[in-house]
Every structure is written in C-alpha cells, then in structure tokens.
Amino acid sequence: MTVATTTSAVRLNAATITQYLNSQPSLTPEKRRVVLLRAAPVWEGPAQLPWGAGRHARIAVGPSPLAVYELVLAHQAADATGPEVLVVLTDREEAELGPDLLAKVHRQRVSAVNIWDVVREAFGADATDHWLSEENWASEALLDATPPGGWPQLAGGALSRREALAALAMRRLGIGRYAPDADPGQMAGAGGLDVHALLRWSLQPGGPDRYLSLRAPERAGLARFLGEDDQVGLTGRALVSLVDAEHGPDAVAFGLVCGALWRDTELPDAAGGRRTRGRRRADEGSAAGGESVDAEDYRARGRAERWFGDEPPAHGAALDQLAASFGRACEEFVSALLLSGRSEFDESAAAARKMSHIALDRADSLIRQFGAERAARSSALLAAGLEARFAAVGQALTDKDPQQVTRSVGALDDHALAKEPDARTRIARAGMALRLAQWLAGDPPVASGNVAAAIGRQIAETGWVDLALEHIEAGGESEPALQSAYDSLCASVRAHRREIDRNFAHALATWTADGGTPGTMLAVETFLPRVVAPVVKAGDRGVLLLVLDGMNAAIASELGEELREHWVEYDPLADAKDAARRRAMAAALPTLTAVSRTSLFAAKLTSGAQTDEKRAFPAHRFWGDAKAAAFHKDDLRAHAAGDSFGPGLLTALNDEQTHVAVVLNTIDDRLAKEQKLGDGAWRLSDIGQLRELLRYAALQGRAVILTSDHGHVVDRHGARLEAEVPLSARHRVPGGPLAESEVLLTGPRVVVPPTESASSGTRGGEVVALWDADSRYTAQKAGYHGGASLAEVAIPVLAFLPFGAQPPKGWRELGDQRPSWWRLDGQAAEPGHTVATVGAVTGEHAEARPAASPSKQAGGSPSTGKAAKEAVEIVASRDSLFDMVLVPTEEEALLSVAAVAPDEADQSASPHDALMAALLASEIYQVQVQVLARKRELPRMERAVRVLLDVGGTLPMTALAQRVGLPATRGAEGFCAVLRQLLNYDGAQVLETLPDGRTLRLNTGLLKGQFELD
C-alpha cells in the first residue's frame, strides 16, 4: 500500500475506509487498535463499518487534538467494548497531537490515504494511467459508487481512464449490469457503455434523475467524459445537455425531430458550414418579401436549439453537426427497437415496442411544438414521413402516372414503420390500388362471350379484381389525398365491373333459357362425378371436401395463396382437354344454399336441407366399397374437452377409408352479421376449424378440395329496390317490369318451388334476380347471395395435395395463379408464366390462367402433333376475352400441351433437361459453385432450379424448401439465400424475392443471358 505523507484533508467515504483497512495486514484481531486517517472530520456513514472477514470498525471524527486524545484513551481502556478497531478521521497535524498520543495509534502517525491506490486495488489493476489521475473528482466517486460485488476485475495491467469512467457512468446512471432490472448473471463490462445504451437509459423511468442527483463535480466530470468518449461522442454530449436542461425523458423523441430537421446537414467547412449559409438564404428570402423553400425548417431549427438549454453544447455549424449526429443516432436506435419489438421470441420485445412507441408518439408532439411538419414529411422513421408517402401514392393515382404509382407504393415498404400492424394493412391497400390501376390501364373488355368464358374469367382475373377492391373498401383511409384517389379509383373499377356483370347476366339469361346444359363446363351438379369420383376411383387416398359456404372467387384467391405455401395445388379436372388452370363451376339458380349446395351434394339440380345432403352424399355409386359422409356445423362441435370436433367427424377423419365432406359456415354467417372493416383480408385462421381440418388431411395424405355452394357480394354501396314479393335479398318472384339492375332467369336450371315461380307444374322455373352487386331487396346486411352477378354464380374449385404426395391420374400441378397485373414492380409477366387468357374456341371454356408445366408426379411429358397445334391455336385466337393475348413460344406451347394431354404424350425429353445440362456445364456456373458458401447443398440447389423451372418460375420459399427435401420450418430462408448467391451472377436478379418477402421468382431469360446459355 502506497501512502502519501502530505495530502489535503478530503472527505472519506465508507468504500475508501474499507479499502484502506483491507490493505493493512497488521490490523490483526488480537489487539485493539486506533487508526488515524487524515480527512475532513465529517462522517455521515454508519457508526460501525464492516470490513474484512466478518470484522467491524467503529468510525469517529476528531476535529481537535483533545477530541482525538479522548477517543484514543477511551478505545484502549481496560473496560472498553465494541469493535477492536477504531478509525478516527481528523485534519489535525501530527505536531498538534504530540508524540505520546501518536505512540498509541496504528503506525504511530496520522495516515494519509492515497485514494487512487485504493481505486487501483478495487479494480485489480497494477497501475492507473496518468489521464485518470488527473480526474481529481473521480477517485472519491469511484470508491463511493463501488457496487456490492465490487468493480469488474482487470487481473493486472493498467486501469485506463475510459475503463474507470465508463464503469462509473454505468454504475451511476444504472446502465448494463448496473441497471435496476439487470440480470446478475449477465454482467457487462465497460464495453456496455455505447450510444444505444445511453439512449435506452434516457427512456427508463427515473434514468435522467440519477444523473441530476449527483454532486456537481461528479456530474460535470461525467458530462465531460461522455462528451469526449469515442464510443458515445457527440450523442453523449447532446444527451447530457438535454438532461441538464431537464429534457432527458424526451431526448430520444427530440433526436428523431433533429434527424428530420438536420437531415441534409453537411460537415462544417472552413467558410462557416451549411447552416450559416442556409440561415442567410432564409433571411434574404424574408427581406425580399417571400421565403425560400426551407425557411420553415430553419425557423423550426431555431426553436429546437433552445431545448439544449441556456448554454448549448456547441454553436453555429458545430451545433448543426451535433444535432444531425444526435438525430441519426436516435433514428438508428429507434429503428433497432422497432426491429426488436417485432420478434415473437425475444423476451424484451414488449419493452422494445413500448419504448419505440413512447419515443415516436412524443416526437409527433414535438414536431407540432417546433413547427417542423415540413421536415417531418421527409423522415423515413416518423409517422409524418409515412403519411407523406401515402399522400404521394394518392397524388400518383390521381395523376394516373403508372411509373410514379409503382415507385410511390414501393417507397412505402422502405419506411421504418412499414412493418407495424396498422401500416401493413394500409400498405397492403395501397398495393391493391396499384394492382387495380394496372388492371384498368390494360383496358379490360367487359364482354365475356358466354357463361363458361365469364366464369373462367372470374376465377382467373375478375375475382382478383374483387379481392383488391374489397381490401381497399374494407378499410378507412385517413390521408385526404389518398382517400380521394381511392374513391375515384374504386368508382372506376366498380363501373367497369358493373358492365362485366351486366354482360354476364344477359349471357346467363340466354343460356338458362336455352336449357342451361353445362356441356364441358364444370357445374355444381357435375362437380362430384368429374372432380371427386376420379380420385375415389384411383383408390390411392381419401378425399377431404371442404365446402366453404358463401366463398366467392376473391376469398378463394386469397386463401389459395396462403395454402400454396405448404401444399401443392393441382388442376383436378382429369377429363379436361385444355391447359391446366384453377377451376370454377357454375352454381345452380338461384344462388342459395338450399338450392346450390344440395345440388352439389346430390350431383343433380335439386333443392333441400342438411338432412338431404347427408343422405345424398354417401349414396353415389362412384364411392364403390368406400365409405363417405357429410358433416355440418353441429358436427364440428366437440363433446369432450380436448377434442377438435364432434365424435362422428373425428371417427371419419381418423378412418383413411372414409371420404369426408365438411361444410364450414364462417363466410356465410359473416354476411348476415357484420362487415370486415379495417382489414379486408381472409386468412385460413379466419375460417373456423379450417386449419385443424387441414392438419388431419396432411397427416393422412388426403386430397383436399376447397369449394363452395355459391359466392356472394358485399354491401359497400348498396341501395334497396322495392319488390312486392322478395324471395331473398337478391331475387324475387317474377312479375312487373324489370328494373335496370334486374334480369329474368328461366329454365330447368332455375330450381324454385312452383309457388315461387310464374310457371307451375315444372321442375324448372323462373325468377327475377339482381345482377348489380350494389342492389338488394331486403334490409341491409354485410353481404348477400341469391343474385345473378359473377361473384355469386362462379364457384371456385381449388385442389391440393401435401408435398411429395403422388397425384391422382390426370391431376396437373399448377404454377403461380396470380394475373400478370397483380405484380407490384410495374413489370409485365414473363412469357409463359402468366397467360392472359385462353380464347373461347370451343364455346365452353375461356379462362385466364398460367400455362402449366409438366409435373413429373403426374406422369406428364411434352407431346407434339394435333394437341400442340390446338393449344397454339387456342391461345392465338382473337376471340379472346382480353385485348392482349400472350402467344407462347414453341417450347412454352409444348409445356402447356404436356399438361393438356398427358395420355397422348410421347417419351421425348423435357426442354428443361437441355437447359439444366447447359447450366451445369457453364463455366460461369462452375465459378459460382467455387465461391458457394454451402457446397454440400449443391445437389439440392440444382434440384431447386429444376423445380422452379417446372412450376413456371415462382414458388414460396417454404414450398420450394419442402419440394427439395428441406423442412419448411427449418432453414428455408437460409437455403434460398445461398441459392440466390449461386444464381445471381454479377449482381443480376436471376432469382429474386418478391415484395411479399416469402416468394421466389426465377427469371429464365436472365438465367440464360447471365450464364451464356443457348
């Protein structure tokens, strides 16, 4: 222990005295001792101080020689009690005390404590650097702040100024291991003091008060250290100034405002910096009678600068630099909080969300207080910046500038708040608006030609239009410019859709009057024989038929996209001679549950109730020896705790030999109760018990077919029509003149009791139905069915198998089902990826669907000859429903024909075999392989490329991972990231991730170009 002989009398604290006593090995417990320490005769600590191994020392003060003398004699008296060591704090000189008294005390003198030696030993260091020794205020503070477990030990070496003062700052402020709620098992050293730690501290309740409660010398010393430290620098300097000005709790929010106000600040130059020049421009503008563009920002800066206090930490250009630096630090910090808050597994996610929202909400208030609204609109973090981007979308939609709409919608995703729940819904609506604008820009025709063509078009295109329209109209928009743009856009879309429905209604009336024979078109009465029966006949797997009562094409499109992430979709119409595509069928009329659903289960046009459906479904001959059963709402109710369904349905699901049909009423029930508001999305989780049914199907490898009994229209702009005898909200008894929105439907396909029809004695009948989606006869509800619009008559049919399952004969795997205008990047679909339509050559089918590629599992292979010629002629037909028809290349036509007529296919090699062989032999590809991070995955990656080629180029990451044998729940994103590294040579986006963040798209043209393939 080094002891100085002459030091000024300072106040000693408990830690200093304890450290000194521990450094004196001669203070043994066998003898009573008095220790005189040179110090200010002031003691505010406990009378007895613990030290050593269970020992205590009594502390007393001796302001005079007499007082010291009395304390020494009393402690050494024969009858003295109490601790064996007495520490006397005195500022008296040794000459005043005399040699007789000194002879009775420890070391026969007044010991002067070298506090820095005590500090050094407290940290386990061999020395302290001279920069630390110059901080006179720090020695006493370090000892006074010693934590219960002691300071972090250095195990030798020199104690640096940064290590000591960072540890002191963390201890005093409550940061890192010293935070009030810190985990003792996760102690951070000096490295825990950084910009984010300081900003987080400022948001903690009582955090800034810890700093303000320190004594003035220590507060000034820590402020100086934080302002000069390399790791916290300007941020620490700005933060301390704000805390001194009593704005500590709002410091981060203030920093976000600084980030907006000083966003374009440059480093100060020799001429005085950007800020001085900017102020001069603003002043000159005012003098001239007008203000420059950024004058508002400079006035707001002036108001904000006052928040740094009467003595700001810098002036002029230096203050600009400090504010800009502090703003960027706060933006990075809050961005990190937002990212952490989105984690579902991070225990601190809730705290991160709370802190970020507090800072952002307070920043919004400060923006108004400083008048910084204009600057905030350019922020990539503040809510005002996101609102400005929404306003830009509205302006672009109003201007009808396709490129600007695409850019402005894309800019929404770049904002830091884009992933917040409310923002995600609004951004999704903006994306839907872009899609509708792109659809309108293609000037889609309103005439369908015939019923089959219109129904095909509904599942391929106009159902997607309905989906986008419903997303926009389900949610309210607060931004005025965007709200106005939505109103105008949706009005145009509704007007176009109204004309489509008008033309369809006339075609429907003609078809039904002519007998309504479906022919090759799929209809409710032919659905079971043509779609389900072939699967049953194959005998390879059970069927789970899910009838989602009321599901229209729009909802089916949305649910289908979610299902495709974990299932493979097929075209289940085995007897079709056209290209593979998602199917739709015609409902029975009127489009009511009692008519159309009963007709579906009975496989004939009829009407009835649930009991009729339960009886008719298992009675069909095509079941053979297999069992079949239909279940309704009551059958889904579990009777025992822990069961998913009722006992009858559970038994059927667990029996792989039983084909099961389940009616789910969620959608139809919703129409009678309430509209979806805010978020118009329909997800699998929204349909009661659908996920659990799919889980059973996946475990047993069942074929899952989703369909409905009819669609529906949503009442967003509905008007009531008066009717003497309404039979439902959308159809009435014939009689009287037809309104503009009505159509007369007559013939065998109209299944109504004689009392409801003008004609009696026949099974068929006639009704008047509404074709206009915005009309009704009865009281207002959320939605309706029973009418003659496309959304009610067209019934979607979606078929799925688990990954790896062998499809039934004739089933053809489907690629991406979204229309080309659904893309958000403003680019047209790749050739062969999304075909605009197939013309109505046969008079029965004309639907817009992707050209399907051959499925190895389906046994398909390319064929030539008559089928190929017919496929090309069909696609090239000018009788198309669309103005634009994408004519496929010869290779694409062959791919399409492979799916059309697998039984006629020859055994020639797939065109992808040659492409894959050329790719693997490419020198560029071999170079990419050499730099591949995970070469062991190469065979799986080559398989993934072939899968992407086979499905048309687009597939969700999870689906691709499962297709190549990698569990979708583990490593899908990592695998796809390495696959992108392999294929994206020279920065070209051969393999790109779509804006949804979960879907991959392979650009075949870029693949050939980048790897120099013929």
Side-chain angles (χ1 to χ4, degrees), residues 436-468:
L436 291 180
Q438 292 176 161
W439 178 70
L440 287 176
D443 192 21
V446 296
S448 300
N450 55 58
V451 171
I455 289 177
R457 182 183 179 186
Q458 176 70 7
I459 196 68
E461 180 198 14
T462 48
W464 294 89
V465 174
D466 295 343
L467 171 61

Side-chain angles (χ1 to χ4, degrees), residues 976-992:
C976 294
V978 180
L979 184 61
R980 285 193 296 268
Q981 177 191 357
L982 174 66
L983 297 180
N984 291 348
Y985 171 67
D986 200 25
Q989 292 297 300
V990 174
L991 182 65
E992 63 175 326

Side-chain angles (χ1 to χ4, degrees), residues 445 447-448 836-840 846 874-875 877-885:
S448 300
T837 188
V838 178
I874 289 174
V875 177
S877 171
R878 301 316 298 174
D879 293 331
S880 168
L881 302 178
F882 292 76
D883 292 339
M884 178 185 71
V885 179

Side-chain angles (χ1 to χ4, degrees), residues 543-575:
V543 173
L544 175 61
L545 173 61
L546 298 173
V547 181
L548 278 58
D549 196 336
M551 178 178 67
N552 58 17
I555 295 178
S557 298
E558 196 157 29
L559 296 180
E561 288 303 295
E562 190 175 354
L563 277 166
R564 286 167 62 89
E565 294 182 13
H566 302 287
W567 296 72
V568 182
E569 185 176 8
Y570 291 85
D571 178 351
L573 203 58
D575 60 357

Side-chain angles (χ1 to χ4, degrees), residues 891-975:
E891 176 181 303
E892 292 155 0
L894 290 175
L895 288 175
S896 177
V897 172
V900 172
D903 292 337
E904 301 176 9
D906 61 24
Q907 301 301 317
S908 59
S910 165
H912 298 152
D913 292 339
L915 181 59
M916 284 298 299
L919 174 65
L920 300 182
S922 165
E923 293 183 7
I924 298 175
Y925 180 80
Q926 295 303 323
V927 170
Q928 289 293 93
V929 168
Q930 294 305 314
V931 299
L932 195 64
R934 293 158 56 179
K935 293 185 177 61
R936 68 180 184 277
E937 295 283 1
L938 187 59
R940 184 174 277 145
M941 290 181 184
E942 293 172 354
R943 200 178 319 140
V945 176
R946 181 178 289 277
V947 168
L948 287 168
L949 289 171
D950 286 344
V951 300
T954 306
L955 204 63
M957 293 183 188
T958 52
L960 180 63
Q962 287 184 311
R963 292 287 298 275
V964 300
L966 186 69
T969 56
R970 176 175 55 83
E973 290 189 8
F975 172 79

Side-chain angles (χ1 to χ4, degrees), residues 397-471:
L397 287 170
T398 301
D399 295 342
K400 297 182 180 180
D401 183 342
Q403 293 183 347
Q404 186 57 35
V405 174
T406 301
R407 286 194 295 268
S408 58
V409 171
L412 294 173
D413 283 323
D414 296 333
H415 197 277
L417 298 180
K419 300 300 183 182
E420 294 299 292
D422 290 343
R424 282 202 306 268
T425 302
R426 294 179 65 195
I427 291 173
R429 284 201 292 268
M432 295 298 183
L434 170 57
R435 291 171 173 130
L436 291 180
Q438 292 176 161
W439 178 70
L440 287 176
D443 192 21
V446 296
S448 300
N450 55 58
V451 171
I455 289 177
R457 182 183 179 186
Q458 176 70 7
I459 196 68
E461 180 198 14
T462 48
W464 294 89
V465 174
D466 295 343
L467 171 61
L469 189 63
E470 176 60 17
H471 268 263

Side-chain angles (χ1 to χ4, degrees), residues 22 29 48-57 83-84:
N22 286 329
Q48 292 189 18
L49 191 67
W51 69 284
R55 303 176 67 185
H56 287 76
E84 71 275 9

